[in-house]
Amino acid sequence: TASNRPFSYEWINSADGEQKGNTMEKRSKELLRRLCALPTGNIADAMSAEGLAVTNAAAGLRPLSETQRAVAGYAVTIRQMQCAADADGRGMAKHSQVIDELAGEDDLLVIDCGGRTDVSTGGSLLARRALRRGIVGYLVNGGLRDVREIAALGLPVYFKGATPLKSAPKLQTVCINEPVEIGDVQIRSGDIVVMDDTGVLVIPPECAEAVVVRAERIHEKEQLFEQLLEEGRTFAEARRLSSEQFPG
């Protein structure tokens, strides 16, 4: 039956219907580095100025650690749900195969478990393997276990909650690299996901260069604003002078 079929790259679809997995024509480490250097607040303002819809994909989720580093990566998406009644529940989650065979350097694993926290979709062993593969973080609308160990590994994570129960025999992966919805945000394979201690943003890759350029300018303006406030200027003065220096 479909519920018992093995992991296969035939499961994997991309937005244009041509490419397999998370292989994109244009991937940029430098772009990800620039995004990581900016607060998500600046990026959100830039997205809005570029006419993009902006929603915090971390709504209802929490960071694994308040001190985890900011990350940006290309989304590899997984959708999971309750196993079918006739499934034996063994090896149905498939996320270990995705980490071993599909996701890799500069990818960010996005798992939609429907917000379930009664069962986990992973723990420290998968997190350790993910880091070895170059995966930069997890965004999980669901539960994880071994949370202290994952935090100690340094893998940045947003997730719904912690539970000691493993995925088997309950969770089944029903699609890989198809759109998922987390925090009222649609996330597609190859979208750029940016996470910091404030929240999570999702940027269409074709818009990312324009967004980061504008966000860097916003950040420079805010740095000048802060400097003027430190010099004793009033808020109104600092806003006027920084806007004169960085109009628009």
Side-chain angles (χ1 to χ4, degrees):
T1 64
S3 62
N4 290 313
R5 63 184 173 180
F7 175 81
S8 168
Y9 283 94
E10 293 177 359
W11 282 32
I12 300 166
N13 301 300
S14 64
D16 61 11
E18 295 292 331
Q19 301 173 33
K20 297 293 185 182
N22 200 34
T23 302
M24 297 178 60
E25 292 183 2
K26 294 181 180 179
R27 288 168 64 103
S28 170
K29 277 185 174 294
E30 177 62 16
L31 180 64
L32 299 181
R33 184 199 65 77
R34 290 164 66 192
L35 286 166
C36 286
L38 296 165
T40 50
N42 293 160
I43 298 171
D45 291 349
M47 291 177 67
S48 180
E50 289 293 321
L52 299 173
V54 187
T55 305
N56 180 15
L61 306 181
R62 62 183 176 91
L64 180 63
S65 169
E66 296 294 340
T67 59
Q68 65 189 21
R69 70 185 188 278
V71 292
Y74 294 96
V76 172
T77 63
I78 301 173
R79 187 159 68 245
Q80 299 178 332
M81 62 176 61
Q82 179 67 35
C83 283
D86 62 348
D88 62 19
R90 292 177 295 180
M92 302 295 292
K94 310 295 182 188
H95 42 305
S96 62
Q97 290 99 318
V98 171
I99 290 171
D100 271 343
E101 302 174 30
L102 174 62
E105 188 173 1
D106 296 328
D107 287 331
L108 193 146
L109 199 59
V110 179
I111 307 177
D112 180 14
C113 304
R116 291 181 62 166
T117 56
D118 61 315
V119 61
S120 75
T121 187
S124 61
L125 296 178
L126 280 176
R128 190 177 297 274
R129 177 59 178 158
L131 284 168
R132 291 285 294 180
R133 288 278 290 166
I135 294 168
V136 299
Y138 285 179
L139 175 62
V140 181
N141 185 23
L144 292 172
R145 66 180 186 175
D146 308 331
V147 294
R148 183 178 299 177
E149 292 91 336
I150 296 173
L153 288 170
L155 181 70
V157 172
Y158 266 87
F159 72 130
K160 187 77 171 181
T163 175
L165 302 184
K166 63 182 180 180
S167 57
K170 294 186 176 182
L171 288 182
Q172 172 184 357
T173 288
V174 295
C175 66
I176 298 167
N177 270 353
E178 294 183 6
V180 299
E181 184 177 327
I182 298 181
D184 295 327
V185 179
Q186 183 185 125
I187 305 175
R188 302 163 298 178
S189 170
D191 281 345
I192 296 176
V193 181
V194 186
M195 307 194 313
D196 68 6
D197 52 5
T198 298
V200 179
L201 296 172
V202 180
I203 308 170
E206 64 273 15
C207 303
E209 179 64 30
V211 167
V212 76
V213 168
R214 189 180 289 266
E216 286 169 340
R217 186 169 177 82
I218 290 170
H219 187 58
E220 289 183 64
K221 179 179 179 179
E222 285 198 355
Q223 288 181 311
L224 176 58
F225 203 138
E226 291 172 3
Q227 178 185 329
L228 292 168
L229 291 174
E230 289 295 319
E231 292 173 357
R233 303 278 189 165
T234 67
F235 194 90
E237 287 176 324
R239 179 167 54 190
R240 177 179 59 79
L241 291 170
S242 60
S243 294
E244 288 175 357
Q245 183 69 28
F246 294 94

